[in-house]
Every structure is written in C-alpha cells, then in structure tokens.
Amino acid sequence: MKHVITILAEGFEEIEAVTFIDILRRAHIQVTVLGLKSFDIKGAHDIRIKADYLFADFKESYDGIILAGGQPGTTNLIKSPEVLKIVKAAHAKGLLLGAICAGPSVLAEAGILDGYKATCYPGVEERLGNAIVVEEPVVVDRTIITSRGVGTAIDFAIELVRYLNNDESADKISKAILFNK
C-alpha cells in the first residue's frame, strides 16, 4: 500500500486538504495527517482537523508529501525550516511532491521547482522561483504534481491517485464519486 503524508499548519485550506485526503483513502492509499505545531489544527475557515501525529514526532517512511494551500497555512509551512528540509529530502529521493493553491510556493521555497512545470493559485506565480508556470487545472511534471485551488481539488486528487496507483484506480474513483471529465 502506498503511503503519503500531509503537513497541516494553522490556516490551511480545508476543502483542498480534505478532498485529497478523502480521495486518496478511497483509493486505498494511506494518508497520514501531520500537525505542524499541534494535533488540533484550525483551517482558514475555522474548521478543525485532528492530526494523526505531530510533525516533529513522525518517523515512518512514506512515498510522497502532499501540501494544501490556504493562508496563513502556506506561510506557516514556509516559515518552518524542518518542513523545507523534509520537502528537499523527499525530492532528492525521487518521492512524489504534490501541492495545490499557494502550496507550490513551499516547494519553490525549498528550492525544488526550478525548471519544473507547475501551476498555482492566481497571484502566487511570482513566488514560484524559476518554475515554468502553466495555467492548467493540474500539472504533472516528473515527480511533482501541482494544482490551482479549491475548484481543482478533485482533479488534483484524481491525478495523485493516477500517479500513486494507476489509471484504472483513478478511473474507478472518478466513476464512484460521479466525477466525469
């Protein structure tokens, strides 16, 4: 079974996080929710999520890191040297890195988006360093998958399933949730 982690900081975008957590779990992909500073994380719209572990205490192996956007959640992730370090390490190992909305700016801050095609929430482009910015709902470039925001969250999650599992799994989930594209 594939295993990904997500790191949630105060002010994360709830729809984005819950969408990929839910859809990945439907596809039998283990998703571990890590709280950056606490187990009880309040999103940008006052919805609380309970983390499985505190980020600092998590020691298991995983196949990728998926980051939600939202403010000030994204800024809180960028301010954490430990988050940037784990993102760099995952990239160096060739693991999946997924980020939606303002989340790709965390990847850029970690120095790994240069030369990669990526997308993000409108207005965040200037924070993507030397990425090749593409205005598509979801962009897959090698081991990096990025997406634009709440309205593209299901597209993003389905592409994560496709990457981690396969086309058949992604198509099965799409059909089950009546997501017809």
Side-chain angles (χ1 to χ4, degrees):
M1 176 188 283
K2 295 288 184 171
H3 177 207
V4 297
I5 61 172
T6 186
I7 307 159
L8 298 182
E10 291 286 313
F12 70 94
E13 171 48 61
E14 297 96 335
I15 290 175
E16 294 165 0
V18 171
T19 299
F20 67 71
I21 292 166
D22 179 288
I23 289 178
L24 291 173
R25 287 180 177 174
R26 288 173 192 248
H28 307 289
I29 296 165
Q30 181 182 349
V31 181
T32 301
V33 178
L34 306 178
L36 181 61
K37 303 238 173 168
S38 67
F39 279 99
D40 180 43
I41 313 119
K42 184 172 76 171
H45 303 97
D46 295 327
I47 298 171
R48 295 182 177 274
I49 298 283
K50 186 177 183 314
D52 300 310
Y53 294 90
L54 288 176
F55 173 65
D57 296 340
F58 184 75
K59 305 294 183 223
E60 295 175 28
S61 64
Y62 51 88
D63 300 297
I65 302 171
I66 315 300
L67 301 174
Q71 286 297 354
T74 300
T75 300
N76 289 332
L77 292 175
I78 287 172
K79 287 180 181 176
S80 168
E82 295 80 17
V83 168
L84 300 179
K85 182 179 174 183
I86 196 173
V87 167
K88 284 180 192 176
H91 183 65
K93 293 178 190 172
L95 302 181
L96 169 66
L97 290 168
I100 185 169
C101 192
S105 64
V106 178
L107 306 182
E109 189 69 26
I112 62 164
L113 270 190
D114 292 354
Y116 281 81
K117 289 181 184 174
T119 194
C120 60
Y121 190 79
V124 177
E125 297 90 352
E126 67 271 5
R127 292 189 269 152
L128 296 192
N130 292 315
I132 302 158
V133 179
V134 182
E135 285 191 25
E136 295 290 331
V138 180
V139 175
V140 181
D141 189 349
R142 294 164 273 176
T143 59
I144 297 177
I145 301 176
T146 54
S147 189
R148 302 206 69 198
V150 169
T152 64
I154 294 176
D155 295 279
F156 177 61
I158 295 297
E159 283 307 311
L160 294 170
V161 170
R162 190 176 315 283
Y163 182 94
L164 290 163
N165 284 354
N166 53 46
D167 289 340
E168 181 183 346
S169 179
D171 293 345
K172 182 180 177 185
I173 297 296
S174 293
K175 185 176 180 182
I177 66 168
L178 305 178
F179 185 70
N180 301 315
K181 282 234 149 188

